[in-house]
Amino acid sequence: MELKRLRPGFILAWCAVMAAGAVLLLTGITNEGLWYDESYTGSLVRQSFSSIIHITGGDNHPPLYYLALRVFTLVFGNTVFTLRLFSVIGALALAALGIGPVRRALGDRAGFIYTVLTLAMPITISMAQEARMYTWAAFLVTGSALYGYFGWLEGKRKDLILFGVFTAAAAYTHYYALLAVALLGVILLGAMIAGKRRIAPFLYIAGAVMLSYIPWLIKLLGAIDRVKGSYWIPPVTDRVIRQVFTYPFSNKFFIPVLPDLPMAGFAAALIIMGLGIVSQLRKRDRGALMALIALAVYLLTIVTGIAASRMIRPVLVERYMVPVLGLFIMALAYGAAGLDRKLAPSVFAGILILGISGMQIRHTLSNRFNGPMKEAVEALQVEPGDIFLHTDEHTIGTFSYCYPDHMNYY
């Protein structure tokens, strides 16, 4: 399954889409000040590498994103722009997979559509303008699925090594990314056994990934104990579940331009995926296997989060689906590429998706959601030695980042 050489016009079109996407993701990137979670990121990456590992070990996220961002800020500075720029690069990396491994797995047309959809999804711009690990988690999980698929089909050493690298990096970036790649590994192993393929190379790579995670395993067990004891996530109701599934068509705090718009976008996506994948299965197209694997990992990751929330305690919020966002988009792109162009409902569904995305993106860019921290910094006349007193952890977080040389008391 080798990449075919692209026509110059196709390459230019791809470059144009990536350039337009970069402009979109950077539009208004500093219009808002940091909110609490972002200020935590900004403050944490001011620490030493060893301190970052120690602090995240007592938190509920692995350290790789913070360590990488620490390097990035050492080079480019620690500002609102640079913190969020790192997430923009993660979103562009996720989209760029369409030019390489997605195109290799699903074909030129699906690869191009994947890139367009990744940059056009409303949640992409929200996560790209968020100083958090989510765009990078999505990139790493998607890369793990693609190279795991290649390793399963072809057994090439390079693909298996890349599968191992993406998998280990995903596991060290977000715990839902860890869940996703673990489910992916089980699915691939089952497929290899069912197909009577040689599994030893895959097991070697999987074993190496598991060994690489042993240093963090104690921290993970500690995080599980903390979650069992007390956690901030509210009950996972039917409404929350709907919002998790429709999150790609909303924004980070799930404030859609119209209440039913995210569900309309998700319904349109299901139409496209269903019709397109079924059409390609009838043609025995091999790419359908990748689309089905992506869809299975996406669904199982969310369903596992729902089940754990119901049986143990709530551990799922909308943004925790972002690590599997690339898998959702991949299945959608393959479905769109495989549609019979004569199917008017499917064409309508595609137009509906882009229309919904455009409306939601405009809504996201033209409104403020993080609170007036930027205005507060501009308005306050702070003198050396001034002390801030807080009655809310969200303000102490943002003020600690903006005024690192002043004492903040909670």
Side-chain angles (χ1 to χ4, degrees):
M1 195 184 297
E2 298 295 334
L3 283 172
K4 297 179 181 178
R5 188 172 182 176
L6 290 174
R7 299 187 306 274
F10 213 63
I11 295 173
L12 287 174
W14 237 313
C15 290
V17 168
M18 288 294 293
V23 171
L24 177 64
L25 297 180
L26 290 168
T27 299
I29 192 171
T30 58
N31 282 354
E32 291 200 80
L34 301 179
W35 69 292
Y36 177 77
D37 283 15
E38 292 183 289
S39 66
Y40 175 86
T41 298
S43 296
L44 181 57
V45 298
R46 285 175 174 155
Q47 309 301 313
S48 66
F49 291 104
S50 59
S51 294
I52 289 173
I53 293 173
H54 175 72
I55 293 169
T56 53
D59 187 38
N60 293 306
H61 292 297
L64 182 58
Y65 162 78
Y66 300 109
L67 294 172
L69 184 56
R70 167 67 172 162
V71 173
F72 190 79
T73 54
L74 284 174
V75 176
F76 299 104
N78 188 328
T79 66
V80 173
F81 176 76
T82 56
L83 291 172
R84 291 174 178 164
L85 177 62
F86 192 63
S87 296
V88 168
I89 296 171
L92 292 173
L94 177 64
L97 290 173
I99 301 171
V102 174
R103 183 167 68 88
R104 177 182 166 192
L106 306 179
D108 293 352
R109 187 179 176 197
F112 184 80
I113 294 172
Y114 166 88
T115 298
V116 172
L117 287 175
T118 299
L119 296 170
M121 278 287 158
I123 199 59
T124 301
I125 192 168
S126 283
M127 292 295 104
Q129 297 191 358
E130 180 91 342
R132 298 293 279 165
M133 73 290 294
Y134 293 103
T135 58
W136 284 106
F139 166 71
L140 293 168
V141 169
T142 307
S144 173
L146 285 162
Y147 287 106
Y149 168 74
F150 297 141
W152 164 49
L153 278 186
E154 302 173 13
K156 292 182 180 179
R157 182 182 299 177
K158 179 182 177 182
D159 291 330
L160 287 169
I161 291 173
L162 284 171
F163 164 67
V165 171
F166 273 97
T167 300
Y172 270 104
T173 300
H174 194 278
Y175 288 132
Y176 265 81
L178 168 64
L179 173 61
V181 295
L183 291 168
L184 171 68
V186 171
I187 290 172
L188 290 175
L189 181 59
M192 287 181 174
I193 294 172
K196 297 182 179 180
R197 294 179 181 271
R198 187 165 173 257
I199 64 172
F202 178 84
L203 291 177
Y204 292 148
I205 294 297
V209 171
M210 293 173 69
L211 285 174
S212 74
Y213 207 72
I214 288 176
W216 196 254
L217 193 58
I218 295 175
K219 307 294 186 182
L220 172 60
L221 295 175
I224 292 173
D225 286 339
R226 286 192 299 275
V227 168
K228 285 182 179 179
S230 176
Y231 204 38
W232 60 268
I233 295 179
V236 177
T237 62
D238 291 344
R239 178 174 175 269
V240 170
I241 293 171
R242 285 195 300 272
Q243 291 183 178
V244 168
F245 279 107
T246 60
Y247 197 58
F249 299 95
S250 188
N251 51 19
K252 62 183 177 183
F253 295 133
F254 207 92
I255 306 175
V257 60
L258 294 171
D260 296 327
L261 209 58
M263 181 57 75
F266 185 69
L270 291 181
I271 292 171
I272 291 176
M273 274 191 274
L275 294 175
I277 293 175
V278 168
S279 174
Q280 293 299 81
L281 282 171
R282 289 173 178 170
K283 297 175 184 177
R284 299 182 182 276
D285 183 78
R286 191 164 63 170
L289 292 172
M290 179 70 255
L292 290 173
I293 289 171
L295 194 56
V297 175
Y298 159 75
L299 290 172
L300 285 173
T301 301
I302 296 175
V303 169
T304 302
I306 295 170
S309 298
R310 293 287 173 86
M311 292 187 294
I312 305 172
R313 66 171 297 111
V315 290
L316 181 65
V317 290
E318 293 87 349
R319 62 179 175 272
Y320 286 0
M321 70 77 53
V322 176
V324 291
L325 176 65
L327 304 182
F328 172 80
I329 296 173
M330 201 191 313
L332 177 56
Y334 181 76
L339 287 175
D340 186 337
R341 296 178 184 179
K342 295 179 181 179
L343 290 175
S346 302
V347 174
F348 174 75
I351 294 172
L352 180 60
I353 281 184
L354 293 178
I356 289 170
S357 296
M359 292 172 64
Q360 185 59 52
I361 288 172
R362 183 177 182 276
H363 174 69
T364 298
L365 291 177
S366 58
N367 286 278
R368 306 286 296 278
F369 303 99
N370 286 2
M373 192 64 211
K374 183 178 180 180
E375 289 79 3
V377 172
E378 292 172 351
L380 287 174
Q381 296 180 0
V382 180
E383 302 294 336
D386 283 353
I387 294 173
F388 295 101
L389 303 179
H390 302 267
T391 59
D392 188 278
E393 65 179 4
H394 286 264
T395 60
I396 194 173
T398 52
F399 273 75
S400 294
Y401 173 79
C402 295
Y403 298 100
D405 297 325
H406 292 74
M407 296 303 296
N408 285 267
Y409 291 99
Y410 180 50

